[in-house]
Amino acid sequence: MSRRQRREFFIPRERPSESALYGTEFEIRLRNQLTQRAIARECAEWVRRKVTFRSNRTQNPMQAFAVVDSSAAYQPVQGFTSADLGYEPGNAVSNMVVKLDDAPAAARYWGLFSEIWGDPSQVDDVTAAVREHIASVYAENAPARIYFLILYNVFADFLEDISEDVLPNDRTGYQDSKIWGSLYNFQRDAATGAINKLETYNGCILADSVGLGKTFTALAVIKYYELRNRSVLVLAPKKLADNWTTYKGNLTTNIFVEDRFNYDVLAHTDLSRSSGTSLGLPLNQINWGNYDLVVIDESHNFRNDKELDERETRYHRLLNRIIRSGVRTKVLMLSATPVNNHFTDLRNQLALAYEGESEQLASKLNLRTSIEEVFRQAQRAFNEWSGLDPEERTAQAIVDRLDFDFFELLDAVTIARSRKHIQAFYDTSEIGTFPIRRKPLAVRPPLTDLPGAPSFDEIYSDLTELSMAVYAPLAYVLDSRMEKYAERYDPRGEGKIENLGHLGREVGIQRLMTTNLLKRLESSV
């Protein structure tokens, strides 16, 4: 048989500051024996019977020495640990303690000690505090107390950053509103978190999964700001406008009629117009700079900040006329897919919150670089991850590649939960179970049941044979004017004629027209 091995419990120390968590490496022996409670109880009783502690109440240094019955003195004494007193090894380069047993010399040390010990202007009696501290080691602590202590030490830095200025003001009465009473527990947390982020960072993206009630959560946030006499604008796609106009109208379908919502609703696309009406509002009479809060439903529609020479895009009209002008505007964005094709989609949406000036947001975050560089690094990491083999392209792989600054930024300005998150961290007894999504059924019916009619594939094949000159527009451009079109339409931004090759190829235009004709055919069917 092999010799029985003697094993010890050991926690590796990665940083010097971590030693405070579990003591020094020379104290592991006591921890292995699991006798700390018994030793602490005995020590506390010994202190109660025999020991008095006094502490230096001044900021002045004192000599480090020990005196025993005026017959011997020891110096220097750096502390009262077993290593400092010299009977166990320590990690000091040198630790020599000299004993002075000459009676006159020891008496002088004793007199100096007694003089300081009896001077209340220099020392305070701390015996009770030391005894209480030692007693806490062996005290029976309830599990709840230990849990709360752990929570405090984990979130202490976060708690210090919280102030009443960025927390919802309960005196507004928003919790008494009908909409607040209609929210589930996870929606209330989202509404409270959104208000906190709006007050702290001026913007927030609520990116909960589809079906988790982002509209109701946003209505609760809107009600909070309306109760503070703030003016609110909701921007929504036209097809979703009824989701918002219903809850502000005097309609039998308005389940929140008693909350008397008073926000304005405009369609996304109507920001591109200067005249006419949008959902009943005359566009040429709106006081664009008077909105304190803008709620953007399906905010990923505002992911493109590219400027056009001919006209002002709806992105820049929103940024310039509403957010930058007039009162300070907060921006709440709702989108289950804030990133579509590129990380700049998310960056451009966030830019609405900080008015296009990234320093405003960066100054409130603990970032090591600029926000633009954070997104560049994230895109670089994503591109590297996309090039991996499928078996290596895991969620953990992309997380490992992303810089910590990216998560710091997202944690500050986004709220994103999935159904699995809700089921794991919330009491869902009130909610019930989420419906299970059925797998989609692939149905491929023929275009018609008439005999001899062409199929979709045959129609597509015929369309690809189109070679009309109208599908090659650059063939009509004079060579002398080609440079102008290169500067305007070059996708790489380099103004080179050779970069326009794919625009001038008849094949590319033919494919585009083929797709358009097929879409028209589909709509007709």
Side-chain angles (χ1 to χ4, degrees), residues 40-50 131 134 138:
R41 184 181 292 105
E42 184 180 347
C43 181
E45 178 61 23
W46 176 72
V47 168
R48 187 186 65 79
R49 291 185 289 104
K50 295 186 175 182
R131 186 168 60 241
I134 298 175
Y138 66 85

Side-chain angles (χ1 to χ4, degrees), residues 76-344:
V77 178
Q78 302 299 333
F80 288 99
T81 67
S82 57
D84 290 328
L85 293 176
Y87 65 87
E88 279 197 355
N91 57 358
V93 176
S94 62
N95 188 27
M96 180 179 293
V97 180
V98 179
K99 177 183 179 181
L100 300 175
D101 52 5
D102 178 62
R108 285 194 295 271
Y109 274 101
W110 177 257
L112 176 60
F113 176 83
S114 299
E115 181 181 348
I116 298 173
W117 184 263
D119 188 352
S121 65
Q122 298 191 71
V123 293
D124 286 327
D125 193 316
V126 294
T127 307
V130 174
R131 186 168 60 241
E132 181 180 351
H133 180 72
I134 298 175
S136 66
V137 176
Y138 66 85
E140 291 287 351
N141 293 300
R145 174 178 171 81
I146 297 175
Y147 176 70
F148 288 134
L149 287 174
I150 292 173
L151 288 181
Y152 174 78
N153 284 279
V154 170
F155 297 106
D157 294 339
F158 172 77
L159 294 174
E160 292 176 358
D161 295 335
I162 293 295
S163 67
E164 293 185 359
D165 296 334
V166 298
L167 290 176
N169 190 341
D170 295 342
R171 287 175 291 183
T172 60
Y174 73 101
Q175 294 182 349
D176 299 326
S177 62
K178 182 70 176 294
I179 176 61
W180 185 264
S182 302
L183 298 183
Y184 291 115
N185 49 9
F186 69 91
Q187 292 172 322
R188 292 178 180 178
D189 284 353
T192 302
I195 294 171
N196 172 255
K197 293 179 186 299
L198 289 171
E199 294 295 324
T200 306
Y201 305 109
N202 216 56
C204 173
I205 294 181
L206 179 58
D208 281 351
S209 297
V210 175
L212 294 183
K214 293 187 291 294
T215 300
F216 275 29
T217 301
L219 285 172
V221 176
I222 291 173
K223 192 59 195 174
Y224 172 78
Y225 281 98
E226 285 189 347
L227 288 171
R228 299 184 69 183
N229 295 321
R230 301 294 194 264
S231 180
V232 181
L233 170 66
V234 174
L235 294 173
K238 281 187 177 179
K239 63 181 180 180
L240 300 179
D242 288 344
N243 290 0
W244 298 95
T245 55
T246 296
Y247 300 121
K248 64 186 293 292
N250 186 25
L251 305 173
T252 56
T253 54
N254 182 6
I255 59 177
F256 303 125
V257 64
E258 61 189 70
D259 283 339
R260 298 179 180 272
F261 282 106
N262 193 37
Y263 52 83
D264 292 339
V265 184
L266 295 177
H268 286 178
T269 53
D270 290 336
L271 285 179
S272 303
R273 298 190 289 116
S274 300
S275 60
T277 62
S278 175
L279 303 177
L281 293 176
L283 294 173
N284 61 347
Q285 298 180 32
I286 294 177
N287 186 359
W288 297 106
N290 194 44
Y291 290 110
D292 301 282
L293 173 67
V294 174
V295 179
I296 308 176
D297 195 8
E298 303 290 344
S299 64
H300 51 269
N301 288 289
F302 289 87
R303 65 182 183 273
N304 187 3
D305 69 341
K306 186 176 181 180
E307 297 187 51
L308 299 178
D309 296 335
E310 296 84 359
R311 60 183 176 84
E312 185 181 37
T313 64
R314 61 182 178 182
Y315 179 95
H316 287 92
R317 180 163 293 189
L318 169 62
L319 185 61
N320 296 327
R321 293 195 180 186
I322 301 178
I323 297 175
R324 284 176 174 168
S325 64
V327 300
R328 184 64 182 265
T329 304
K330 304 180 186 303
V331 184
L332 174 61
M333 292 161 274
L334 314 179
S335 176
T337 55
V339 179
N340 286 55
N341 303 313
H342 200 277
F343 277 106
T344 53

Side-chain angles (χ1 to χ4, degrees), residues 363-379:
S363 62
K364 301 176 183 179
L365 300 173
N366 186 26
L367 301 180
R368 294 168 296 178
T369 183
S370 65
I371 290 179
E372 289 76 13
E373 183 61 27
V374 169
F375 280 106
R376 276 194 292 269
Q377 293 177 2
Q379 187 63 47

Side-chain angles (χ1 to χ4, degrees), residues 402-471:
L402 290 171
D403 190 78
F404 181 78
D405 283 345
F406 182 72
F407 297 103
E408 171 81 8
L409 176 61
L410 290 188
D411 182 63
V413 296
T414 63
I415 298 174
R417 286 91 53 86
S418 64
R419 295 185 180 188
K420 289 184 178 179
H421 177 100
I422 303 303
Q423 292 170 331
F425 297 102
Y426 286 90
D427 179 9
T428 58
S429 57
E430 182 183 2
I431 306 170
T433 58
F434 289 109
I436 299 175
R437 181 178 299 175
R438 294 181 178 179
K439 293 183 178 181
L441 300 177
V443 180
R444 299 180 181 273
L447 178 61
T448 177
D449 57 359
L450 295 177
S455 65
F456 278 109
D457 290 337
E458 291 172 338
I459 293 174
Y460 176 79
S461 178
D462 291 340
L463 289 176
T464 56
E465 299 299 324
L466 294 176
S467 59
M468 290 184 289
V470 70
Y471 297 154

